[in-house]
Every structure is written in structure tokens, then in C-alpha cells.
Amino acid sequence: MLDFDSWTPPASSVEMPQVNSGRISEIAEQVAELGGKRVLIVSGPSRRFVPELSQALSEYVVSVFDGARRHVPRVTVEDAERALVEAKADTLVSLGGGSATGLVKALRLRHDFKFIAIPTTYAGSEMTNLYGTTHDGQKVTGRDHRVRPDRVIYDAELTREMPLTLTITSLCNALAHPLSALAAQAELAADARPDPNPSLDVAANLYQIIETLLRWPGQSEARSAALLWSGRAALCLQGALGLQHRLAHSLGGHFDVDHSALHAVLLPHTTSLLRQVYPDVIERLSTSLGVDDLEASLYGFLERAVAPTGLRNLAISYEAFSAFSAAQYASAADDDDDAVLNKRRAREVLSAAYQARRPSRHTTRVDWGLREPVSLRGASLERAERVIVALHGRGSNADSIVRRYVEIAGEPRVECVIAPQAPNNSWSAQRQFEPRAAHGAELVTSLAECEGLIARVRAASNAPIVLFGFSQGACFALEVLARSRQPFAAVVALSGSAIGGQAEPPKFSDAVRGTPVLIGASEADSWVDPSALAFTRDLLERAGANLSFELVPGDAHAFHARHRLLARRLLTGKAPLPAATGLYNSHEVELLPGALPRNQNTPRQTAYGLYPEQLNVTGFTAPRNANRRAWFYRIRPSATQGRFKPLSHPTFDTAFVTQPAEPDLAGLAPLPAPTRPTDFIDGIWTLGGAGSAAMRRGYAIHLYSANRNMEDRAFCNADGDLLILPEQGTLTLLTEFGTLEVTPGWVALVPRGVRFSVILNQSSARGYMAEVYGRAFTLPERGPIGANGLTDARHFEAPTPWYEDRLAIGYRIVHKLSGTLFETTTDYSPYDVVAWHGNTPPYRYDLSHFSPVSTSRIDHIDPSVYTVLGAPLDETGTDSLDFVIFPPRWDVSEHTFRPPFFHRNVTTEINGIVRESPHAKAPFVPGCVFITPSMTPHGVRAESVERALSKDQGPHRFGNHALWFQFETALPFSLSPWVKQSAQWLADWPETWGAYRTHFRKEA
């Protein structure tokens, strides 16, 4: 941030107000210096801070007028005049935002008094000679040096609790001042333009202050700087006002909308216009800030602050807005060329601002003869290798759907993305399942525009065309598909169904046959009729489309992660990059050419402006063969997150640390499906474990049961590796390294510290999870087995490369540290890694690749030969946790008691079942858990003993379908305190093993 004291304001012949940074408690001294005796405090109706100010002025005669209103209505000025005369005040103190300051300014034009301004927002009007009043929907503004305050008090404490939305819109109002000044300067002849540096400096500082307060709203230094620099920003308005202010004052006076919100909405659009007309000015500012897309980032500020992004969000109706725009900015016959051009620019800015279209230096808007300009991004239409026609949903806009394409598929380089705009952000006022007649001419006109646009594309390019629509845009994409006699390369229609419903279904032409089509929605999306969705699926299947029909759990009307992953391939026409293989190999991934540095890890300037960031899973000085780390090259550093707060979780705990070890055989029935929306984190159920995450020794065993995706939520376990074993339902893991799809029969290994989200591929999912606190999972040594068998490192697959640059306001990150859960938020998806290299990505492993070792002569072999992965302890021959599986296999031993022998074992065994053929009355079902504590005698069920003794079965294949597993540990096992009180606890589990009869005989 620039040094405030070194900043030189624009030249002015008028004396500036005396600025004091302090507290309102010191105001009595200011009044005394001005010779005041009777004080009138002017505030808004909330009277915020009026009691404190009155207390500070207790030695004076104090009155209060609390009727200040935005845009200073003339009737308010008259009421305030009466209060001024009645109070006989010689000093007026404005306390509040621009409304209070503006009211006192209006009074000072007609009365002589001392004026102290105490701003509580960042309007900056306390520093200007501008004034304005409204009457009958018209705002009259002017300049007069008399309206400036004598003193200004900046008390940052008054702004500390300002809501984030107001903070950002008010600062955008302040930022509009230097940018508007730059625009006005740029309109002058080259030899008459003043030095732009003061305005550039102010703009740069305010931009950085906004960035800071978006992340840390209560930071005192930034709050103080915000007041000072917003005041200096207002001083930039010494000359003529630019388009930003002309529009803000005319709109504000006509519609009586919030002044700061109005300025904030207009700012990205006037900045975009300024780039078009005077690109060098915005380029200088962008370069000084290191911001590639300034106008898009200003729009992003509003989104992140949950502020209005369009005039339509300010309760201005489309009809009223259209009438205003036509009346104010329609070209007249006697207008000269400059006037016509300026009015056209004003209409374009207003239209885009009304529709909340996100401006971007990478997106252009062109007039193709439709009702609204068309948004284009990527390669030119003539050179594009693929064209995406994107149709926005109801209440959205063309630039939004273009942005969704970029989030899903990445920046278009050889693709051209084309998005038309509906005039009132809606293609039709009716729902998609209404009869066609109900849509009327609106449907006909909108379809004609879409089809005309596609005809223009086909005439200009031979590139394949993809239809991409969301919500109402998806409905129109399907209608266009049905009516077309020419094929499309693919269609992505999310959260929408065919127009007309079952009463008037569309008739798909033969051109649909073989077309890849993705239909996706939430199972309970209230905006998508389930029967219409199913009917659309049936229509497309009968028409011969290559259909992917994907419903996801929940009711959100949104771009779901599962759909984004599936849509990418259809939109780009490119298969995902192949995944790297080999457990703990050194891998490299690069999703944009040149994104991965070749000769060093942290170049000062990286390709694409990416941030280098290292993830260390082991200590820096760990031996080379054990050292595990990765270098990320990401769009934003992970450090953009906020502060962590403790997160309560009813069934996740490390309370087993204080619980006694469980001595008895124990069993639990499978977890039921959740009865309320539950994602993977919420559905974790800690069974128990041993040791301490804080002491880096031990393990924990969890179960999970979920029916909702982790949309905009990630999990990071700082305590150790996680091993996830699905039993029901395929999982897709979104990770910083890419994506992993893990089905029952596979296992996922997520290293310590890696962020990931769990997406369900079906309505629900259930399974097991283990974590180790100490040394990581590794492959078991083969010993006498030799060079082959058991688990091969080459069968471990790293994630499929993938990244997204996606704004996600309030994205939650759950962090587990020392056994405690915390949660923080960020505004962007954490999966923005464009390139990486290292040896610690997550992996998946197909358990069918495991090569079992067994006996070929006598005696049952120890189950340790079925170990897939193990996490060693310090003592030789002991592990904190081994992962053992019992897959289908042959037993060919001779004259051997084939069931596992009876034994007492130093290890604790935690067993579960992924697959099993159903057996009558068998207690062993998929999803169950049973525990054999250390040194507790155990064997097989009594009836299995009798079967095994009755005859020698000879060579025998175990389990053509079954997949059992076991976690073995050298440490004891303590149950979490709630386990025995749960409905899943099988209290009679020891009895299920039956009564073992004696077969003792007196003769051998």
C-alpha cells in the first residue's frame, strides 16, 4: 500500500478541510477551536453513534435531527432548516454516510455555521465541493466551495462493525471517484490532460484495501486506511464528472436507490468501457496491481461481499428501467456524432449493468442483430476448432453462462463460446412443462433468435457445434436440438427438461441419433419437474441419443461437481489426460502448456501468473527415500482462507483416547442410510482406535454413511493418511491433484494434508475409513515370497489431472488437527492446481490386482500374507495399522483344518465386509464390523468347525464374489463412548459364535 503521507492530491485553489484521525470522544476540542456553543447533530433515522457523540458534547447545548435521507430530497432539506433555526445552532456535525454529509452541505448553501463531518462510510463526500438535492425524481448537482466542512474526523472504530456488504459497496463508491476522474481526464485533448498519477495511486490503494477487508473485515489498519483514502479519492473529482457519476446521479435521483450500491453496480461496467476507449489508462492501473482482468475482479468484489451485481437487484423493474433508458439516452435528430456515441455507450453500460452481466477483458459483446448483444469468448468464430452455443437460465445472463463454461472446461483457446442474452434475463416467463401455447410469442421469438444465431455460426464455420444450457437455457437447448435437422457435436443440458411436457413433447429429428447428450439435475430440484425429466430421458433414448442421465442427491438448483466433471469432456471434445501410476513415484502433471517450471521450483515469475506452493507430508530433512512432498502451481494460494473455528460433530471424536481398551469380541451392524441430508464429513462415525493424533502415534477407525455431495466443502486431515474403502456406492474424490473415482472393490489412499471432497455417484454411499497418525501407509515387504506377489506399486493410480477456476462464495474447508475438527471459509474452489510435481498424491488401487499367497501343502497360512498396505511402528515387526484383504482365492492345502485356526494374538483385528454372497441367518453382511481384541481367544463359528471336521473338501476356491478385509494393529482398540449406546451395537455378538463342543477322545 502506498504511503498516505507522501501522496499529493490534485491541485486546488480552495483550502481543504482539516482532517483529524482520532475518536469522536475528542470532538469537544474541535468545537471549541471553531468557537461553537450550540451544536446540531445531523444523522439518519438509525441514530447510530448519536448517544456517544452527544455524551462527548455534554458541555454544549446539543440538538439532534435524524431525518437525513439518501439523495437529499428537497423536503428533507426544508425539515432540517426548521430544526436548525429552532436549535439556534452555530455548529453542525454530520454523523453518518453521504446522506448526512450531503444534507448539511445543502444547508450550508443558505446558512452560515461551522461544519464538522464525521463519516461512518467511505462515500468521501466530506472532502468535495459537490452537492446535490432531488425533487420529483430529478437530481440537481452543483459545486460550491462553501459546502466543504471545516473539520473532518475519521474515527475508524465507527466503521469496524460495518457490514461487509456495505463496506465493499461504499469502498467501490470511493473507487469510482478516481476511475471517474481518469475517464474525464481521458476525454480531454492530450495537451490538456492533467497528470493521472494521483488518481492511479488512489485507485491502487483503494483496490488493495478492498482486497484486505474482504478477507479480514475487522482489520483496524485497513479500516483506518479506508477512511483516509476514500477521502483522498473524493478529491480526485476536481474537474468534470465522468459517465460513472452522471449515470449514478440520474439513476439515483429517478429511482431513489442506495447511492453506494448504485455506484458499485456501475463501476465494473464503466471500467470496462474505459478499457475499450482508453486502454492505456486501465492497463497502467492493472499492471500496477498485477491484476489481469480488472473489471471482472471489481465484479467479483461485489459477488464475494454478497452485494447487488445488477440494477435489477436494486428493485428497479425492467419496464421502468427500459422507459428511463429510452427517455434519457435515446439519440435525437439534432445530436452530433459525439452525442450519439456517448448516448450509445451510456445505453450499453446501463443495459449490461441492469442484467448484471459480468464484464471481462476476455469477453467481447457484439451486435448480431438480436435483441441484446451477444457475448463471445475464446478463438474467433472463423478459426475455432469447436463452437459452444451457451444459453443462460432464467434470471441469469449470457456472461454468466460463459463464465460457467470457463469454470467447467477451462479458458477456451481453440474453442469459441457464444452466448446470446435474453432481454429481461429470461427466455420465457412460463415454466418448461407448460403447454407451448402458454409461452406465446415469447417462445417463438426466443427460439428464432437461438436458431438464427446457430445458422449464422454454421454459415461462418465448419467447426462442430455444442449446445450448452443450464436451467431454462437447458430447456431451450433441448428444444433447439429437437428442431434441428443438422447434427450437433454434443449437448449439455443441466437442470432442465424438454419444453411442453408430456402433453406437447418435442419431436426429435433423425439428426439426434448418436449425439452425446448429458442430462443432469438434483433428485429433488424444485425447479425441475421429476416426471418431465424422466419423460425427456425417455424421448432422447427413443430418438437414439447417446445419453448420459445423471441425477445427484439433494435439491440444489446448481452446477454440481458430478455434472461439471462429466460435462468437461463433451464441451471440449477432449479425453482427460491419463493418470500417472506407481505408488510414491515422482509424478509430473501440466494442464496448460509451460505451466510446470522445468529448472526450479519457485521462479520469481511463473507462467500464467500461478502461485508456487509446496505441500510437505514428511519433515524437510527426512531421508530421501522417505521424503514425500509436492509442488503445486495454482491460481490462488491456499492462504486465501479465513480463520479456523471449532466444528462440532456428534459422532466424530477422539474420546477413545480416554476410554478403556475393549477386551471382548464386539460386533456392529451396518450403518443405516441417513434420514436427513448428510455428506461424507457429516456422515463419519468414529468406531474407535488407539493412541493420540497429537503425539503422532496410533490410529482411528471410522465408518461413513452419506446421501449428499460435498458441494463447496473440502476436508483436510492434518493428522495422517486416510484409507477409504467404499462398501456401497461409487465415490468421486475431487482433490488438489485431480480426480479419483473409487468403486466398491477399490481403495483410496489420501495422504496427510491433502484437501479433498467426496462426490457420490449414486443416491447414497457407505463404507469404511482408517487413518494412521504416525508413519504413512507403505507396501509390505515380501521377504521369502520373493520379487513378486501381493501388491504391485504400478497398480496404484494417481488422480486424473483436472482443475477449476471457480468462484464459490463461502466455500467451507474442514480441517482436522490433533484429533479436533475446525472449519474455515474461502471464496474460491481449492482445486485450482494447474500443474504439480511430487511423490505424494492420493492414489486409488483396484483390489482385484492383489496377488494372494497361500499354502500349497499343509497348514493354514498366517493372514499377514494378505496385507495390501501397512503403516509401521518404530518397533521391528509391528505396525500401527495394516490393511489386509481376503479376496476370492484357492486353498489347496492337504489334511489341514482349513478355517482360520483358533488363536490368541498380540494384534487387534478390526474386520469388515465389502462383498459377500447372502447366507441364511449369517451375521456376516456387507457393512458390518467385528472386532477381535489383542490376546482375546477367537476362531471361527462353531457350526463352521463342525463342517470342517466332517470331511476333507480337497482343493477349494473361497468366495467367487466375496471381499472381506481386516485392519490389524499392534496397539489395543478402544471404542468411542457412544458405540455401545448405538442401534448398531450387537450386544450378543460373543454368543453368535456358538458353543464349541468337545471332540476329546481317550484314544488317539
Side-chain angles (χ1 to χ4, degrees):
M1 190 175 295
L2 296 175
D3 179 7
F4 177 78
D5 294 328
S6 68
W7 181 77
T8 303
S12 173
S13 60
V14 179
E15 184 178 348
M16 295 294 108
Q18 179 180 321
V19 176
N20 300 275
S21 294
R23 300 293 173 86
I24 60 171
S25 57
E26 303 164 359
I27 191 173
E29 180 181 340
Q30 303 292 325
V31 174
E33 290 179 4
L34 293 173
K37 301 296 182 183
R38 303 176 70 88
V39 178
L40 176 64
I41 298 173
V42 177
S43 77
S46 71
R47 298 174 68 103
R48 186 167 173 80
F49 302 118
V50 167
E52 294 88 337
L53 184 59
S54 299
Q55 178 63 34
L57 292 168
S58 58
E59 61 189 90
Y60 296 95
V61 177
V62 177
S63 303
V64 177
F65 177 79
D66 61 5
R69 283 191 57 204
R70 62 194 180 200
H71 304 295
V72 194
R74 185 186 298 175
V75 65
T76 302
V77 177
E78 294 168 353
D79 291 342
E81 275 191 306
R82 286 190 286 271
L84 170 60
V85 172
E86 183 179 339
K88 300 178 182 179
D90 53 43
T91 304
L92 269 68
V93 179
S94 65
L95 178 64
S99 300
T101 306
L103 177 55
V104 180
K105 281 184 170 185
L107 291 173
R108 212 176 194 204
L109 287 172
R110 301 174 59 177
H111 299 271
D112 184 22
F113 53 80
K114 298 300 181 180
F115 178 10
I116 300 175
I118 306 178
T120 60
T121 67
Y122 307 118
S125 59
E126 70 277 359
M127 299 298 289
T128 73
N129 62 355
L130 288 165
Y131 66 88
T133 58
T134 56
H135 183 64
D136 290 338
Q138 296 294 319
K139 189 166 187 178
V140 178
T141 60
R143 293 181 182 273
D144 195 304
H145 70 275
R146 292 175 296 168
V147 303
R148 277 196 171 102
D150 299 289
R151 303 286 174 93
V152 175
I153 298 177
Y154 286 140
D155 186 346
E157 287 300 311
L158 303 184
T159 66
R160 185 184 295 275
E161 302 301 323
M162 186 189 299
L164 180 62
T165 298
L166 177 58
T167 295
I168 301 308
T169 57
S170 187
L171 281 168
C172 285
N173 181 7
L175 182 56
H177 298 154
L179 291 181
S180 187
L182 287 170
Q185 289 172 214
E187 292 174 5
L188 300 174
D191 57 355
R193 293 177 191 169
D195 179 11
N197 283 325
S199 294
L200 286 170
D201 290 346
V202 173
N205 275 274
L206 284 171
Y207 186 96
Q208 293 174 66
I209 290 168
I210 293 172
E211 287 187 311
T212 300
L213 290 177
L214 272 169
R215 187 178 177 201
W216 309 114
Q219 191 190 74
S220 297
E221 181 183 356
R223 287 287 180 181
S224 296
L227 283 169
L228 293 170
W229 284 104
S230 60
R232 288 328 188 238
L235 289 176
C236 294
L237 297 178
Q238 299 292 349
L241 299 180
L243 178 63
Q244 167 88 23
H245 280 71
R246 293 197 295 270
L247 292 177
H249 286 295
S250 60
L251 282 165
H254 188 82
F255 292 108
D256 188 26
V257 294
D258 180 76
H259 191 64
S260 67
L262 187 55
H263 265 297
V265 166
L266 291 171
L267 183 61
H269 304 281
T270 55
T271 303
S272 179
L273 178 61
L274 187 58
R275 182 191 293 279
Q276 297 171 38
V277 180
Y278 305 107
D280 57 319
V281 175
I282 295 301
E283 197 58 39
R284 285 182 61 182
L285 180 57
S286 299
T287 301
S288 70
L289 292 170
V291 177
D292 172 65
D293 198 345
L294 179 61
E295 47 269 60
S297 70
L298 294 175
Y299 188 94
F301 287 162
L302 303 182
E303 292 178 300
R304 293 168 64 188
V306 197
T309 55
L311 298 177
R312 63 195 305 270
N313 306 130
L314 300 179
I316 300 175
S317 72
Y318 180 68
E319 293 73 21
F321 167 77
S322 299
F324 168 84
S325 180
Q328 295 286 329
Y329 299 104
S331 297
D334 57 349
D335 283 343
D336 59 25
D337 291 344
D338 287 342
V340 171
L341 178 61
N342 289 334
K343 287 183 177 181
R344 179 177 63 80
R345 287 172 175 168
R347 288 197 305 272
E348 289 174 354
V349 166
L350 284 174
S351 178
Y354 184 83
Q355 294 159 346
R357 297 178 73 166
R358 176 180 179 264
S360 168
R361 69 174 302 177
H362 304 295
T363 302
T364 58
R365 300 193 187 115
V366 296
D367 183 0
W368 276 13
L370 307 182
R371 290 172 291 176
E372 295 287 344
V374 175
S375 291
L376 301 177
R377 186 156 180 160
S380 68
L381 178 57
E382 293 74 19
R383 296 187 177 184
E385 297 178 9
R386 197 173 183 86
V387 177
I388 291 83
V389 175
L391 303 176
H392 67 78
R394 186 194 306 271
S396 187
N397 57 70
D399 298 86
S400 177
I401 194 70
V402 170
R403 181 183 184 183
R404 298 305 175 204
Y405 172 89
V406 175
E407 292 175 348
I408 292 171
E411 187 64 40
R413 300 181 185 279
V414 298
E415 302 88 6
C416 177
V417 184
I418 305 174
Q421 171 69 45
N424 191 17
N425 301 81
S426 177
W427 300 106
S428 172
Q430 303 300 316
R431 298 288 295 271
Q432 73 273 18
F433 45 78
E434 297 291 338
R436 293 172 188 277
H439 293 265
E442 200 173 19
L443 175 63
V444 175
T445 301
S446 295
L447 281 173
E449 284 199 339
C450 294
E451 292 175 331
L453 181 145
I454 292 169
R456 178 171 182 152
V457 170
R458 292 194 190 277
S461 172
N462 293 322
I465 301 175
V466 177
L467 292 176
F468 171 43
F470 175 76
S471 190
Q472 192 180 69
C475 305
F476 271 74
L478 291 170
E479 183 71 14
V480 170
L481 173 67
R483 291 158 59 103
S484 177
R485 295 299 179 263
Q486 292 179 276
F488 289 96
V491 178
V492 176
L494 303 178
S495 299
S497 60
I499 294 175
Q502 299 185 38
E504 296 181 79
K507 297 178 181 179
F508 289 96
S509 71
D510 290 340
V512 176
R513 187 168 302 280
T515 302
V517 179
L518 171 62
I519 301 289
S522 296
E523 292 176 333
D525 188 340
S526 61
W527 287 95
V528 184
D529 182 68
S531 61
L533 202 61
F535 185 67
T536 302
R537 176 198 60 199
D538 296 342
L539 285 175
L540 286 165
E541 287 178 343
R542 288 197 295 270
N546 182 10
L547 181 65
S548 296
F549 186 77
E550 293 284 337
L551 297 182
V552 300
D555 59 2
H557 193 66
F559 287 86
H560 300 283
R562 174 77 177 153
H563 298 150
R564 297 198 304 271
L565 290 171
L566 293 170
R568 174 170 291 194
R569 184 168 185 172
L570 294 185
L571 292 174
T572 64
K574 300 172 185 174
L577 292 175
T581 59
L583 184 66
Y584 302 145
N585 283 356
S586 184
H587 307 293
E588 288 186 353
V589 166
E590 185 178 68
L591 285 160
L592 293 177
L596 187 67
R598 295 297 170 186
N599 300 320
Q600 63 180 121
N601 292 319
T602 56
R604 186 172 66 87
Q605 296 289 343
T606 60
Y608 305 99
L610 301 172
Y611 280 90
E613 181 178 290
Q614 187 174 196
L615 172 68
N616 288 92
V617 176
T618 56
F620 293 125
T621 60
R624 181 179 287 268
N625 68 335
N627 199 304
R628 294 171 56 210
R629 59 92 164 98
W631 276 99
F632 295 138
Y633 300 91
R634 61 193 319 151
I635 296 170
R636 296 170 190 83
S638 300
T640 55
Q641 69 186 39
R643 291 178 177 171
F644 284 110
K645 296 180 180 179
L647 176 68
S648 62
H649 193 301
T651 57
F652 183 93
D653 202 356
T654 55
F656 57 81
V657 174
T658 59
Q659 293 288 106
E662 177 60 38
D664 287 322
L665 300 179
L668 282 90
L671 290 180
T675 57
R676 57 180 180 81
T678 303
D679 68 18
F680 178 82
I681 296 175
D682 296 333
I684 293 176
W685 204 84
T686 304
L687 181 62
S692 166
M695 299 304 294
R696 302 286 303 127
R697 184 182 178 95
Y699 68 94
I701 305 296
H702 312 277
L703 309 175
Y704 70 84
S705 181
N707 63 359
R708 184 175 64 178
N709 292 328
M710 285 176 63
E711 301 281 358
D712 293 349
R713 197 182 195 197
F715 184 40
C716 175
N717 182 29
D719 292 333
D721 287 6
L722 291 175
L723 192 151
I724 303 172
L725 185 64
E727 179 261 319
Q728 284 184 4
T730 298
L731 308 179
T732 296
L733 305 187
L734 308 182
T735 82
E736 294 171 280
F737 293 84
T739 66
L740 287 174
E741 190 166 281
V742 191
T743 64
W746 292 63
V747 64
L749 180 61
V750 182
R752 177 186 183 190
V754 174
R755 292 177 173 180
F756 69 98
S757 302
V758 177
I759 305 301
L760 313 185
N761 291 22
Q762 288 83 34
S763 296
S764 62
R766 187 174 71 186
Y768 309 87
M769 182 170 70
E771 63 174 319
V772 288
Y773 300 146
R775 294 164 66 181
F777 282 111
T778 61
L779 297 179
E781 299 298 339
R782 291 189 175 106
I785 295 172
N788 303 297
L790 305 184
T791 318
D792 256 350
R794 69 189 178 104
H795 291 139
F796 283 81
E797 300 178 17
T800 300
W802 175 82
Y803 82 95
E804 63 178 5
D805 179 10
R806 184 170 66 89
L807 181 70
I809 308 300
Y811 194 110
R812 295 176 294 162
I813 298 175
V814 178
H815 190 77
K816 187 170 87 69
L817 178 64
S818 192
T820 301
L821 293 179
F822 302 89
E823 189 170 64
T824 185
T825 59
T826 184
D827 287 341
Y828 294 91
S829 166
Y831 307 123
D832 62 354
V833 176
V834 177
W836 63 268
H837 75 85
N839 61 355
T840 186
Y843 291 96
R844 69 172 185 168
Y845 175 72
D846 183 351
L847 295 173
S848 69
H849 289 316
F850 184 76
S851 179
V853 174
S854 191
T855 55
S856 59
R857 185 165 177 264
I858 59 172
D859 292 341
H860 182 87
I861 200 165
D862 191 273
S864 58
V865 296
Y866 301 119
T867 301
V868 178
L869 291 165
L873 282 170
D874 297 332
E875 298 89 345
T876 302
T878 63
D879 283 6
S880 61
L881 205 65
D882 285 333
F883 173 53
V884 178
I885 66 168
F886 302 103
R889 63 201 183 279
W890 279 94
D891 184 347
V892 296
S893 55
E894 302 171 349
H895 193 60
T896 295
F897 182 72
R898 283 200 179 87
F901 47 83
F902 287 87
H903 63 296
R904 289 173 292 161
N905 189 2
V906 295
T907 64
T908 300
E909 301 169 357
I910 303 102
N911 305 270
I913 302 173
V914 176
R915 293 192 303 262
E916 180 57 278
S917 300
H919 297 290
K921 300 182 180 179
F924 304 106
V925 295
C928 75
V929 183
F930 55 101
I931 301 148
T932 305
S934 174
M935 291 302 179
T936 298
H938 61 283
V940 297
R941 298 178 77 207
E943 61 185 55
S944 298
V945 172
E946 297 306 313
R947 260 196 321 270
L949 292 175
S950 64
K951 61 179 180 178
D952 187 354
Q953 296 179 334
H956 178 68
R957 180 171 172 81
F958 280 103
N960 291 325
H961 174 73
L963 179 60
W964 293 37
F965 73 90
Q966 185 177 98
F967 293 121
E968 278 195 344
T969 173
L971 302 174
F973 182 81
S974 298
L975 291 167
S976 291
W978 53 74
V979 172
K980 290 188 177 181
Q981 281 70 52
S982 72
Q984 277 59 55
W985 176 250
L986 301 175
D988 60 350
W989 184 257
E991 288 80 9
T992 64
W993 298 89
Y996 300 108
R997 67 180 61 162
T998 178
H999 292 279
F1000 178 72
R1001 299 188 300 273
K1002 294 184 178 180
E1003 298 84 14

